[in-house]
Amino acid sequence: MLPISSIATSLLTLTASVISANPLPIEPTELVERQEPKGDIDAVRQVIGTPYEGPTNKSKWLGSLAVRPCGSILLTDTLAPTVYIVEDPKAESPPLEVVTTIPGANALTGITETEPDVYQVVAGGFSIKNESAVPGTLKLWSIDYSTGASKPVVRKTADLDRVTMLNGLTYLGHDIVLGSDSIDGAIVTINTKTGGYHQVWKSASLTAKDKASKNSSTLGVNGIKVAREGPKTYLYFTVTAKSILAKIEINPTTGEPMPGATIMTIETTLGEKKGVGYDGFAMRIDATADLDFYAADSRGNAIEHISGRAGGVSQEIVAGNINSTEVAEPSDAAFGRTECDKDILYVCTAGGIFKGIGPENKKVGGQLLAIDTAKH
């Protein structure tokens, strides 16, 4: 494995305004070192790999995942309107099976659980080359396993004609899903019962515009997660083109940023050729608000572990590096949900299909990886 150069990070605070068209002010406060990889390489296991077959319409780009309560894993395909399942990720070479193919779409993006064993997924017409959606094609679909049947009930939840590029999803509660519009730089709420939707926050800070990084992505806000910390509710999010990980306090009912809320951000100062491109992530927060955060760095072909709290956050790469296909363009991550895999981080990847990996632009096809976080 080739060594990864050290990258400095800075912890910043920003002041947010609801539906603001202007970038948020930035005030640097502290530098934190990004560490060299640690731990045993055996901590990374390839659950499945999808061999690259040349034309992108014959290859799989595993874009998002959701772990079911029973332990099986649902995955979306960014090159096809297909939801897959891996029934037993702990098995040796388990099959990647088709759950459903969504009609009227050519690709899927985010997926999230909204009720026990009920999931929402974004489908639409997407241009991979332009990292954008075809206007008027986006829909939200439900994948419902709650009946206990082996095959889920699949139905359309909402038409999202006025959304530019819905990407990441997370569940707020009260039948409300939050979605990231990666092109418009906005957070959208969607009611899963009525199908109604609207923007609750828009800012240039959530777009790819005015970025200081060398990252080539045109995607702004991307991965999102809701977390409760004591009496407060936060939205954690990434801004891919700006290499940002951040959180903001939100209204627990509407999803809007609270009046006067501040955004706490870890922004990476780039030190590698391709830069850092944070996408999806998995996180755990303990009772003292210590952060345990694993981010998919799609440009650096790595998984980063961010831990600690404001004023004492540290980063280390726990798997992959910029020239390695071990973690080939990771796009999302989630922890296992059974007792035997609660410390296993499952990661899905694009497999180098989008940008290629290393000087030879290698493409290996989408992967589902299992990383034992207890070894780090």
Side-chain angles (χ1 to χ4, degrees):
M1 178 183 289
L2 298 176
I4 298 178
S5 60
S6 178
I7 298 178
T9 64
S10 59
L11 187 66
L12 307 111
T13 60
L14 306 92
T15 301
S17 59
V18 181
I19 316 299
S20 169
N22 298 315
L24 300 174
I26 297 176
E27 180 182 350
T29 59
E30 183 178 354
L31 291 177
V32 183
E33 287 298 314
R34 183 181 180 196
Q35 305 283 325
E36 292 283 342
K38 295 181 180 180
D40 190 341
I41 194 64
D42 292 338
V44 181
R45 174 175 65 89
Q46 180 166 288
V47 178
I48 61 163
T50 64
Y52 179 67
E53 299 177 26
T56 55
N57 63 356
K58 293 185 179 180
S59 302
K60 293 180 178 63
W61 173 337
L62 301 179
S64 296
L65 78 165
V67 181
R68 297 179 58 200
C70 63
S72 61
I73 299 176
L74 297 173
L75 299 120
T76 65
D77 194 335
T78 309
L79 297 176
T82 306
V83 178
Y84 303 103
I85 191 168
V86 175
E87 291 285 3
D88 185 4
K90 298 180 292 299
E92 184 176 349
S93 301
L96 182 68
E97 303 174 79
V98 173
V99 172
T100 188
T101 298
I102 304 298
N106 70 0
L108 308 178
T109 56
I111 186 171
T112 192
E113 186 176 18
T114 54
E115 301 174 49
D117 227 7
V118 180
Y119 308 86
Q120 302 293 328
V121 62
V122 179
F126 291 90
S127 169
I128 300 303
K129 180 180 179 180
N130 297 325
E131 291 188 300
S132 62
V134 177
T137 66
L138 295 180
K139 320 285 182 186
L140 195 68
W141 287 75
S142 171
I143 312 294
D144 186 352
Y145 280 97
S146 66
T147 63
S150 59
K151 297 292 184 181
V153 176
V154 179
R155 65 175 181 84
K156 187 172 69 173
T157 302
D159 294 302
L160 306 171
D161 299 340
R162 301 188 307 277
V163 179
T164 305
M165 172 63 179
L166 200 64
N167 200 341
L169 293 179
T170 189
Y171 187 53
L172 178 63
H174 313 290
D175 303 324
I176 299 297
V177 168
L178 299 182
S180 61
D181 188 330
S182 297
I183 300 298
D184 213 20
I187 300 298
V188 178
T189 63
I190 309 161
N191 189 305
T192 60
K193 300 303 182 186
T194 68
Y197 66 97
H198 67 283
Q199 285 186 358
V200 292
W201 183 27
K202 180 178 179 180
S203 171
S205 296
L206 302 182
T207 70
K209 298 176 182 177
D210 304 318
K211 63 183 181 180
S213 79
K214 299 176 183 178
N215 189 319
S216 61
S217 178
T218 60
L219 297 179
V221 60
N222 195 335
I224 55 176
K225 292 280 191 302
V226 170
R228 270 80 183 185
E229 300 176 26
K232 297 182 178 181
T233 300
Y234 288 91
L235 179 68
Y236 282 80
F237 59 92
T238 64
V239 182
T240 300
K242 295 177 179 176
S243 309
I244 286 175
L245 310 171
K247 75 173 183 178
I248 185 170
E249 186 185 357
I250 60 173
N251 184 299
T253 302
T254 67
E256 296 176 345
M258 295 294 286
T262 58
I263 297 176
M264 298 298 299
T265 304
I266 301 173
E267 183 176 292
T268 303
T269 302
L270 303 179
E272 301 199 57
K273 182 178 180 181
K274 284 195 175 182
V276 174
Y278 296 124
D279 197 330
F281 57 90
M283 59 184 293
R284 296 182 290 202
I285 300 175
D286 67 18
T288 62
D290 278 350
L291 183 63
D292 192 22
F293 190 110
Y294 288 83
D297 174 5
S298 59
R299 293 302 190 271
N301 303 313
I303 299 298
E304 291 193 20
H305 182 209
I306 299 94
S307 59
R309 66 174 70 188
V313 175
S314 64
Q315 290 181 270
E316 64 173 346
I317 295 172
V318 297
N321 73 48
I322 197 167
N323 291 315
S324 171
T325 58
E326 177 191 49
V327 185
E329 285 184 340
S331 50
D332 202 4
F335 286 103
R337 296 179 63 179
T338 69
E339 185 60 31
C340 62
D341 70 350
K342 63 184 180 181
D343 290 322
I344 300 298
L345 182 73
Y346 293 106
V347 175
C348 61
T349 79
I353 292 173
F354 184 48
K355 289 292 186 181
I357 295 171
E360 299 176 0
N361 289 318
K362 293 180 181 178
K363 303 177 188 296
V364 297
Q367 306 159 304
L368 175 63
L369 307 173
I371 299 173
D372 188 352
T373 63
K375 291 189 176 183
H376 294 283

